[in-house]
């Protein structure tokens, strides 16, 4: 190609290159992954795009290179954080976007508000009132009453404490006035606007000679200082406080009852002793009477029952005074007239009873033997006895089986007639030495039979039938925690005393 044809070609190429440079400088960059790409030219001649699969020729280097672009200008340089102080702390808190829990979840630590109606009392939580919480004075580090002790939900308590009182100021002492215990309004649930008032159920007045009088119409009686001659007494002083709170399954308190014992106090009975109790009762349920909680209480009946089949629970009668019984002595002393008349077995009470049975020729011994046995044992003699006063019927493995033993003497041409039932209950002191609980560990019932001839001389014969219950304490004597003085078993290094030894 000659010079005339080469010159026009160079002019075209230089014009194309100038257009490409102008388009590159004027076209805005498109960001992708924080980098820019040159936008395709829209004006001027351009080369056709390369087919797929072919490499693009390197562009001529002219000093213009792609550069990172970001919209966050503060991120382009490090900014020193502002140190919080007293002047700017509140402003920094308002501008803060929150705190992140961790880098993996990027979850914000925002407080979770309880949904409406989700609040409820939980076991051990303080019972809240309109002003603070329900106070139940109790001794803490000493026997002195501490009024700041809160009542805990579902925690039954019964405490005694002493209070130092200035008799001249009894009218101004809040802890001696019944309004101090009856005026608080309990919140139905924590942080609720619904309040449950405390209803005074009964007020009992105790005089100086310990005489008790129950008021027919409970009313607020403030303490009153009375001076008669040289004697000064204060009346209507609170001696005992008993709360009874009714709750539901949803953890709500629906009712609050109060029973008070007010008394007359003189300087001779100071410091004053007060008693405080609180009990929680579930709504629409009747409390099941127990013989102890957990250990048996002296004078309460033994809990007993029988197991109809293996694998089932213990079956008990609804009358707890009829679960384990013996004969009841009467003035008639006629055994056949006493059928069905029984006396409950009370824990800690050794008992003995009996009656007389008249044997005649009209009542053969063999026909009379099962009748006498039913008379001594009673209907439905139990197979198990509860170890504690509050043992549940479904805890079969905890119940103590009753060992029933029959003792008889074999004689030729004689009839075995039961004459006595002896029940032996062995119990032990279980738990702490400061508060031991009575636990039954063994029960043995012995049915003693005596031999009677089939045909006896005379027209009538009288036999004495008897039942007895004995309680035996098998508690082991308390022993010290350390039987021997502890020894120190320590080894020293062989050169511990070097260079002296």
């Amino acid at each position: 190609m000659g010079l005339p044809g080469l010159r026009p070609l160079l002019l075209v190429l230089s014009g194309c290159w100038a257009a490409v440079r102008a388009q590159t400088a004027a076209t805005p960059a498109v960001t992708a992954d924080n980098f820019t790409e040159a936008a395709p030219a829209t004006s001027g001649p351009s080369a056709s795009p390369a087919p797929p699969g072919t490499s693009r020729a390197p562009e001529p280097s002219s000093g213009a290179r792609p550069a990172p672009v970001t919209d966050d200008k503060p991120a382009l340089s490090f900014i020193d954080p502002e140190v919080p102080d007293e002047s700017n702390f509140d402003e920094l808190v308002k501008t803060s976007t929150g705190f992140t829990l961790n880098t993996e979840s990027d979850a914000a630590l925002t407080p979770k508000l309880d949904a409406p109606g989700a609040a409820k009392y939980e076991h051990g939580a303080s019972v809240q009132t309109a002003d603070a919480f329900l106070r139940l004075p109790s001794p803490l580090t000493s026997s002195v009453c501490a009024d700041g002790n809160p009542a805990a939900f579902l925690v039954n308590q019964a405490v005694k404490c002493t209070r130092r009182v200035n008799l001249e100021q009894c009218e101004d002492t809040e802890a001696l006035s019944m309004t101090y215990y009856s005026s608080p309004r309990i919140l139905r649930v924590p942080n609720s606007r619904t309040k449950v008032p405390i209803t005074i159920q009964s007020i009992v007045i105790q005089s100086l000679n310990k005489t008790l009088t129950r008021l027919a119409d409970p009313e607020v009686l403030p303490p009153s200082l009375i001076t008669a001659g040289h004697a000064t007494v204060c009346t209507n002083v609170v001696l005992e406080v008993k709360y009874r709170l009714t709750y539901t399954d949803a953890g709500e308190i629906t009712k609050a009852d109060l029973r008070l014992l007010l008394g007359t106090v003189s300087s001779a009975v100071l410091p004053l002793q007060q008693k405080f109790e609180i009990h929680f009762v579930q709504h629409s349920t009747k409390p099941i009477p127990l013989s102890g909680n957990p250990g048996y209480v002296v004078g309460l009946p033994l809990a007993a029952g029988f197991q109809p089949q293996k694998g089932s629970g213990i079956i008990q009668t609804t009358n707890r005074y009829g679960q384990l019984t013996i004969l009841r002595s009467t003035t008639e002393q006629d055994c056949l007239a006493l059928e069905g008349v029984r006396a409950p077995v009370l824990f800690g009470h050794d008992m003995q009873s009996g009656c007389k049975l008249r044997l005649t020729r009209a009542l053969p011994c063999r026909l009379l033997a099962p009748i006498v046995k039913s008379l001594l044992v009673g209907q439905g003699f139990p197979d198990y006895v509860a170890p504690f006063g509050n043992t549940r019927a479904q805890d079969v493995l905890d119940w103590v089986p009753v060992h029933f033993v029959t003792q008889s003497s074999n004689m030729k041409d004689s009839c075995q007639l039961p004459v006595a039932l002896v029940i032996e209950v062995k119990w032990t002191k279980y738990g702490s030495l400061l508060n031991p609980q009575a636990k039954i560990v063994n029960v043995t019932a012995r049915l003693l039979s005596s031999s009677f001839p089939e045909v006896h001389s005379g027209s009538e014969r009288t036999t004495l039938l008897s039942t007895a219950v004995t309680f035996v304490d098998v508690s082991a004597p308390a022993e010290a925690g350390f039987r021997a003085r502890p020894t120190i078993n320590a080894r020293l290094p062989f050169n511990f005393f070097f260079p002296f030894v």
Side-chain angles (χ1 to χ4, degrees):
M1 179 181 301
L3 290 176
L6 181 60
R7 185 172 181 176
L9 179 62
L10 292 177
L11 292 175
V12 171
L13 291 177
S14 62
C16 292
W17 178 246
V20 170
R21 291 191 61 183
Q23 182 68 23
T24 303
T27 304
V30 179
T31 61
D33 297 333
N34 292 335
F35 289 94
T36 60
E37 294 181 359
T42 56
S43 61
S46 61
S48 62
T54 60
S55 60
R56 181 179 297 178
E59 298 179 358
S61 177
S62 61
R65 303 179 59 89
V69 175
T70 178
D71 294 335
D72 190 6
K73 296 182 179 180
L76 297 177
S77 61
F78 177 76
I79 302 176
D80 293 333
E82 187 175 359
V83 179
D85 53 19
E86 295 181 357
S87 59
N88 62 357
F89 180 80
D90 295 335
E91 184 178 353
L92 292 177
V93 170
K94 294 179 181 179
T95 58
S96 175
T97 57
F99 301 94
T100 57
L101 183 63
N102 49 48
T103 57
E104 296 179 359
S105 61
D106 293 334
L109 265 179
T110 56
K112 295 182 179 180
L113 300 178
D114 294 335
K120 66 177 182 179
Y121 281 107
E122 297 182 355
H123 182 273
S126 300
V127 178
Q128 298 182 9
T129 59
D131 52 354
F133 52 82
L134 183 63
R135 292 176 173 82
L136 189 73
S138 63
L140 295 181
T141 57
S142 63
S143 61
V144 180
C145 296
D147 296 329
N149 180 57
F153 184 66
L154 295 185
V155 179
N156 298 330
Q157 299 184 59
V159 297
K160 292 182 180 180
C161 57
T162 58
R163 190 180 298 276
R164 296 183 178 91
V165 178
N166 185 356
L167 199 61
E168 303 295 334
Q169 301 177 356
C170 71
E171 297 180 349
D172 301 329
T173 305
E174 290 184 345
L176 303 182
S177 176
M178 60 179 293
T179 57
Y180 181 74
Y181 307 99
S182 61
S183 60
R185 292 178 297 170
I186 300 175
L187 302 186
R188 186 181 183 92
V189 293
N191 304 322
S192 172
R193 295 183 179 180
T194 306
K195 302 176 181 63
V196 179
I198 298 177
T199 305
I200 301 176
Q201 294 293 336
S202 66
I203 298 178
V204 179
I205 304 297
Q206 177 179 296
S207 62
L208 286 175
N209 57 0
K210 308 300 181 181
T211 303
L212 300 178
T213 304
R214 182 172 180 175
L215 299 182
D217 298 326
E219 58 180 353
V220 178
L221 300 175
S224 178
L225 186 65
I226 299 176
T227 303
H230 298 287
T232 302
V233 296
C234 188
T235 60
N236 302 329
V237 174
V238 175
L239 301 180
E240 291 186 10
V241 177
K242 294 183 179 180
Y243 287 108
R244 181 186 175 94
L245 304 185
T246 304
Y247 68 97
T248 62
D249 293 338
E252 300 178 353
I253 297 178
T254 58
K255 188 179 180 182
D257 297 333
L258 175 64
R259 289 175 172 82
L260 296 168
L261 174 63
L262 308 182
T264 302
V265 179
S266 63
S267 57
V269 296
L270 297 181
L272 179 66
Q273 186 181 55
Q274 292 178 312
K275 182 179 180 180
F276 301 93
E277 295 184 13
I278 184 170
H279 298 279
F280 292 85
V281 180
Q282 189 172 355
H283 179 67
S284 299
T285 58
K286 294 182 179 180
I288 301 176
L290 302 175
S291 296
N293 188 23
Y296 277 98
V297 178
V298 176
L300 295 182
L302 266 64
F306 59 93
Q307 188 178 19
Q309 59 183 359
K310 189 175 182 181
S312 64
I314 301 297
I315 304 300
Q316 298 175 266
T317 61
T318 55
N319 180 18
R320 63 175 183 148
Y321 284 90
Q323 297 178 2
L324 181 59
T325 59
I326 60 174
L327 280 174
R328 176 180 292 179
S329 298
T330 61
T331 57
E332 291 81 6
Q333 294 293 314
D334 187 1
C335 290
L336 297 180
L338 294 178
E339 188 175 3
V341 181
R342 312 287 294 180
V345 177
L346 305 179
F347 181 80
H349 290 186
D350 294 341
M351 307 171 63
Q352 186 172 0
S353 61
C355 60
K356 294 180 181 180
L357 178 65
R358 293 178 177 86
L359 301 177
T360 62
R361 292 184 179 273
L363 294 175
C365 177
R366 295 189 181 276
L367 295 179
L368 195 60
I371 299 176
V372 174
K373 180 180 179 181
S374 176
L375 187 65
L376 292 174
V377 175
Q379 295 182 356
F381 191 81
D383 300 329
Y384 292 89
V385 172
F388 292 106
N390 64 346
T391 304
R392 300 182 301 177
Q394 57 266 32
D395 300 332
V396 182
L397 298 179
D398 295 338
W399 287 65
V400 179
V402 178
H403 303 283
F404 198 90
V405 181
T406 301
Q407 297 179 357
S408 60
S409 57
N410 296 325
M411 293 180 61
K412 188 177 181 181
D413 298 332
S414 63
C415 171
Q416 299 296 323
L417 186 67
V419 294
L421 176 66
V422 180
I423 302 176
E424 183 186 56
V425 181
K426 295 181 179 180
W427 65 281
T428 183
K429 296 175 182 176
Y430 181 84
S432 172
L433 293 176
L434 300 178
N435 186 23
Q437 302 295 314
K439 177 184 179 181
I440 294 178
V441 295
N442 184 270
V443 179
T444 303
R446 292 183 175 87
L447 184 64
L448 307 180
S449 301
S450 181
S451 299
F452 289 89
E454 291 287 351
V455 179
H456 55 80
S457 59
S459 60
E460 187 174 311
R461 182 176 179 180
T462 302
T463 303
L464 180 64
L465 303 182
S466 63
T467 55
V469 178
T470 58
F471 288 84
V472 181
D473 186 2
V474 295
S475 302
E479 298 180 359
F482 293 98
R483 296 187 177 182
R485 184 179 294 275
T487 59
I488 299 176
N489 185 13
R491 294 184 179 182
L492 299 177
F494 68 94
N495 60 347
F496 183 77
F497 295 100
F498 181 82
F500 304 102
V501 177

